[in-house]
Amino acid sequence: SGGEMGGAEVEATILFSDIRGFTSFSESHSAPEVVAWLNTYFERMAECVREHGGIVNKYVGDAILAVFNAPLPLADHTQAAVRCALAMLTRLGQLNAELRTQRIPEVNIGIGLHTGTVVAGNIGSRDRQEFTVIGDTVNTASRIEGLCKSFQAPLLVSERVFSALPETNGLER
């Protein structure tokens, strides 16, 4: 409440992640089981985002939209987002080991990263507004995440992200 509508252009790195097989999982489990499973997953992934200086902008169903360099400035935001994505995959492996012991289905995800200009600010109506990021950079990050399925890869980054890395750290072009 009290925030101004609109925003400012800023360069940011956008991280989109999405759970694979979520629809079939949700169809075969009760709503309370799905919520508990999602909350456990979201908690672990949100920790990674916070630890690397980003913010979880929103959860969209089973997807996460995270932003690095908005609303708070973050030096080396592209590198921080890549480190976050790699940490998410590591933490996911730990979570899956726990889930296996409880005979709960494992979680598989795709993560897409892109860096570019966004408008970061408040959108909505007088009655309800939210902070978010808007622009083709966000759309591109989402599309890159969607390509993870085609490439059968848990993580894909745009050329812009890849080029910003000081070392490739084993990532392939």
Side-chain angles (χ1 to χ4, degrees):
S1 110
E4 289 186 34
M5 298 290 267
E9 283 191 329
V10 62
E11 182 176 281
T13 301
I14 306 299
L15 180 152
F16 250 102
S17 73
D18 191 47
I19 296 176
R20 302 293 176 250
F22 177 74
T23 301
S24 61
F25 176 82
S26 62
E27 289 171 346
S28 61
H29 293 79
S30 70
E33 289 173 322
V34 173
V35 168
W37 186 74
L38 270 178
N39 286 341
T40 299
Y41 163 75
F42 283 150
E43 183 61 37
R44 305 288 175 89
M45 298 303 107
E47 287 171 359
C48 291
V49 173
R50 281 191 305 274
E51 289 167 3
H52 291 88
I55 64 154
V56 173
N57 179 240
K58 63 183 71 175
Y59 302 109
V60 182
D62 60 313
I64 298 172
L65 167 58
V67 183
F68 295 80
N69 203 39
L72 302 173
L74 178 64
D76 300 325
H77 56 89
T78 303
Q79 293 172 42
V82 171
R83 285 191 299 271
C84 174
L86 294 172
M88 287 171 69
L89 293 172
T90 298
R91 191 118 354 132
L92 183 66
Q94 296 164 351
L95 173 61
N96 281 334
E98 293 173 28
L99 293 174
R100 278 191 300 275
T101 65
Q102 301 169 31
R103 299 196 187 285
I104 297 172
E106 294 184 17
V107 180
N108 292 301
I109 62 174
I111 302 172
L113 296 173
H114 185 56
T115 297
T117 302
V118 299
V119 173
N122 294 323
I123 66 164
S125 65
R126 278 183 302 214
D127 298 334
R128 176 159 162 57
Q129 40 182 286
E130 68 179 17
F131 172 83
T132 196
V133 287
I134 302 289
D136 192 52
T137 297
V138 179
N139 300 336
T140 300
S142 176
R143 288 192 296 273
I144 291 170
E145 180 280 318
L147 290 172
C148 288
K149 294 174 193 172
S150 300
F151 286 97
Q152 298 180 348
L155 172 62
L156 292 174
V157 304
S158 67
E159 179 66 29
R160 182 130 189 234
V161 169
F162 191 84
S163 297
L165 300 176
E167 299 175 15
T168 59
N169 295 322
L171 297 174
E172 298 177 21
R173 276 197 194 267

